[in-house]
Amino acid sequence: MKRGKQPEPDRFRHWKVTLFFLAAGAWFAGVITAQPLITGTAIVLLLVAVGLRLFSGTEQSSETESEDGEV
């Protein structure tokens, strides 16, 4: 496995960063107001961001493996 610059930028980067900050704000608001629903919403937002990470990672890893010739 090589680590280097990716040939093309991550197309979901903006969404992942936005979801992270929304989740952080929702978590903070949920902790301050002691509302478990808001804290749960923050967890769901983070899971969506992780899902985007996994979704974008599978596409890129298969392309880089085929270019390198390694499995």
Side-chain angles (χ1 to χ4, degrees), residues 2-3 7 9 12 16 20 22 24 26 29 37 44 47 50 52 56-57 59-60 62 65 68:
K2 293 182 181 180
R3 290 202 165 244
F12 295 118
K16 290 187 282 190
F20 172 77
L22 280 175
L37 181 63
V44 169
L47 289 175
V50 169
L52 283 176
S56 66
E59 244 177 52
Q60 292 174 356
S62 64
E65 285 177 3
D68 293 340

Side-chain angles (χ1 to χ4, degrees), residues 8-60:
E8 53 189 60
D10 184 11
R11 60 184 174 160
F12 295 118
R13 181 180 298 152
H14 177 74
W15 285 106
K16 290 187 282 190
V17 171
T18 302
L19 286 172
F20 172 77
F21 280 106
L22 280 175
W27 173 80
F28 189 67
V31 168
I32 295 295
T33 61
Q35 296 281 335
L37 181 63
I38 298 173
T39 306
T41 302
I43 293 171
V44 169
L45 287 171
L46 283 176
L47 289 175
V48 170
V50 169
L52 283 176
R53 165 71 171 113
L54 294 175
F55 180 70
S56 66
T58 56
E59 244 177 52
Q60 292 174 356

Side-chain angles (χ1 to χ4, degrees), residues 2 6-8 60-70:
K2 293 182 181 180
Q6 295 178 353
E8 53 189 60
Q60 292 174 356
S61 65
S62 64
E63 289 175 4
T64 54
E65 285 177 3
S66 63
E67 290 173 3
D68 293 340
E70 297 175 0

